[in-house]
Short mmCIF file of all heavy atoms in Angstrom, two decimals:
data_model
loop_
_atom_site.label_atom_id
_atom_site.label_comp_id
_atom_site.label_asym_id
_atom_site.label_seq_id
_atom_site.Cartn_x
_atom_site.Cartn_y
_atom_site.Cartn_z
N ILE Y 69 -135.81 130.59 212.23
CA ILE Y 69 -136.17 130.41 210.83
C ILE Y 69 -135.09 129.63 210.07
O ILE Y 69 -135.40 128.78 209.23
CB ILE Y 69 -136.46 131.77 210.14
CG1 ILE Y 69 -137.00 131.56 208.74
CG2 ILE Y 69 -135.22 132.64 210.11
CD1 ILE Y 69 -137.61 132.80 208.13
N PHE Y 70 -133.80 129.88 210.37
CA PHE Y 70 -132.73 129.17 209.68
C PHE Y 70 -132.69 127.71 210.10
O PHE Y 70 -132.43 126.83 209.29
CB PHE Y 70 -131.39 129.86 209.91
CG PHE Y 70 -131.36 131.26 209.36
CD1 PHE Y 70 -131.22 132.35 210.21
CD2 PHE Y 70 -131.49 131.49 208.00
CE1 PHE Y 70 -131.21 133.64 209.71
CE2 PHE Y 70 -131.48 132.78 207.49
CZ PHE Y 70 -131.35 133.86 208.35
N SER Y 71 -132.96 127.45 211.37
CA SER Y 71 -133.00 126.07 211.85
C SER Y 71 -134.16 125.31 211.21
O SER Y 71 -134.03 124.14 210.85
CB SER Y 71 -133.13 126.03 213.37
OG SER Y 71 -131.97 126.55 213.98
N GLN Y 72 -135.30 125.97 211.07
CA GLN Y 72 -136.45 125.33 210.43
C GLN Y 72 -136.17 125.04 208.95
O GLN Y 72 -136.57 123.99 208.44
CB GLN Y 72 -137.71 126.19 210.59
CG GLN Y 72 -138.24 126.22 212.01
CD GLN Y 72 -138.56 124.82 212.52
OE1 GLN Y 72 -139.30 124.07 211.90
NE2 GLN Y 72 -137.97 124.47 213.66
N ARG Y 73 -135.50 125.96 208.27
CA ARG Y 73 -135.11 125.71 206.87
C ARG Y 73 -134.17 124.52 206.78
O ARG Y 73 -134.27 123.70 205.88
CB ARG Y 73 -134.44 126.94 206.28
CG ARG Y 73 -135.37 128.06 205.96
CD ARG Y 73 -134.62 129.20 205.32
NE ARG Y 73 -135.43 130.40 205.25
CZ ARG Y 73 -134.96 131.59 204.98
NH1 ARG Y 73 -133.67 131.76 204.74
NH2 ARG Y 73 -135.76 132.63 204.93
N LEU Y 74 -133.23 124.45 207.72
CA LEU Y 74 -132.29 123.33 207.75
C LEU Y 74 -133.05 122.02 207.97
O LEU Y 74 -132.79 121.02 207.30
CB LEU Y 74 -131.24 123.55 208.85
CG LEU Y 74 -130.18 122.47 209.01
CD1 LEU Y 74 -129.35 122.31 207.74
CD2 LEU Y 74 -129.28 122.81 210.19
N GLN Y 75 -134.00 122.01 208.89
CA GLN Y 75 -134.80 120.81 209.15
C GLN Y 75 -135.57 120.39 207.92
O GLN Y 75 -135.60 119.20 207.58
CB GLN Y 75 -135.75 121.06 210.32
CG GLN Y 75 -136.62 119.87 210.66
CD GLN Y 75 -137.46 120.10 211.89
OE1 GLN Y 75 -137.01 120.75 212.83
NE2 GLN Y 75 -138.67 119.57 211.90
N GLU Y 76 -136.18 121.33 207.24
CA GLU Y 76 -136.93 121.02 206.02
C GLU Y 76 -136.02 120.44 204.94
O GLU Y 76 -136.38 119.47 204.26
CB GLU Y 76 -137.63 122.27 205.49
CG GLU Y 76 -138.77 122.74 206.35
CD GLU Y 76 -139.28 124.11 205.97
OE1 GLU Y 76 -138.85 124.67 204.93
OE2 GLU Y 76 -140.13 124.64 206.71
N GLU Y 77 -134.83 121.00 204.79
CA GLU Y 77 -133.90 120.52 203.77
C GLU Y 77 -133.38 119.13 204.12
O GLU Y 77 -133.23 118.28 203.24
CB GLU Y 77 -132.74 121.51 203.61
CG GLU Y 77 -131.85 121.19 202.44
CD GLU Y 77 -132.55 121.20 201.09
OE1 GLU Y 77 -133.51 121.98 200.89
OE2 GLU Y 77 -132.12 120.43 200.22
N ILE Y 78 -133.12 118.87 205.40
CA ILE Y 78 -132.67 117.53 205.80
C ILE Y 78 -133.77 116.52 205.53
O ILE Y 78 -133.50 115.43 204.99
CB ILE Y 78 -132.25 117.51 207.29
CG1 ILE Y 78 -130.97 118.32 207.49
CG2 ILE Y 78 -132.06 116.07 207.78
CD1 ILE Y 78 -130.61 118.54 208.95
N THR Y 79 -135.00 116.85 205.87
CA THR Y 79 -136.13 115.95 205.62
C THR Y 79 -136.27 115.66 204.12
O THR Y 79 -136.48 114.51 203.72
CB THR Y 79 -137.43 116.55 206.18
OG1 THR Y 79 -137.26 116.78 207.59
CG2 THR Y 79 -138.61 115.61 205.96
N LYS Y 80 -136.11 116.68 203.31
CA LYS Y 80 -136.17 116.50 201.85
C LYS Y 80 -135.04 115.58 201.37
O LYS Y 80 -135.27 114.67 200.57
CB LYS Y 80 -136.06 117.87 201.17
CG LYS Y 80 -136.20 117.83 199.66
CD LYS Y 80 -136.32 119.25 199.13
CE LYS Y 80 -135.08 119.61 198.37
NZ LYS Y 80 -135.13 120.94 197.77
N GLN Y 81 -133.83 115.76 201.91
CA GLN Y 81 -132.70 114.94 201.51
C GLN Y 81 -132.84 113.50 202.01
O GLN Y 81 -132.39 112.56 201.34
CB GLN Y 81 -131.39 115.54 202.02
CG GLN Y 81 -130.98 116.80 201.29
CD GLN Y 81 -130.73 116.55 199.82
OE1 GLN Y 81 -130.14 115.56 199.41
NE2 GLN Y 81 -131.20 117.49 199.00
N LEU Y 82 -133.46 113.29 203.16
CA LEU Y 82 -133.73 111.93 203.63
C LEU Y 82 -134.59 111.20 202.61
O LEU Y 82 -134.31 110.06 202.24
CB LEU Y 82 -134.43 111.95 204.99
CG LEU Y 82 -133.59 112.34 206.21
CD1 LEU Y 82 -134.49 112.52 207.43
CD2 LEU Y 82 -132.49 111.34 206.48
N THR Y 83 -135.63 111.86 202.14
CA THR Y 83 -136.53 111.27 201.15
C THR Y 83 -135.79 111.00 199.83
O THR Y 83 -135.92 109.93 199.25
CB THR Y 83 -137.74 112.18 200.92
OG1 THR Y 83 -138.38 112.42 202.17
CG2 THR Y 83 -138.72 111.56 199.96
N LEU Y 84 -135.02 111.98 199.37
CA LEU Y 84 -134.28 111.82 198.12
C LEU Y 84 -133.25 110.70 198.20
O LEU Y 84 -132.98 110.03 197.19
CB LEU Y 84 -133.58 113.12 197.73
CG LEU Y 84 -134.48 114.26 197.26
CD1 LEU Y 84 -133.67 115.55 197.07
CD2 LEU Y 84 -135.19 113.89 195.97
N ASN Y 85 -132.67 110.47 199.38
CA ASN Y 85 -131.68 109.41 199.56
C ASN Y 85 -132.32 108.09 199.99
O ASN Y 85 -131.62 107.17 200.41
CB ASN Y 85 -130.63 109.84 200.59
CG ASN Y 85 -129.67 110.84 200.03
OD1 ASN Y 85 -128.82 110.49 199.22
ND2 ASN Y 85 -129.80 112.09 200.43
#
Side-chain angles (χ1 to χ4, degrees):
I69 188 167
F70 298 115
S71 294
Q72 289 302 307
R73 286 183 192 167
L74 180 61
Q75 180 175 324
E76 290 169 7
E77 188 61 31
I78 291 171
T79 302
K80 184 170 110 178
Q81 288 298 319
L82 288 171
T83 304
L84 289 174
N85 285 287

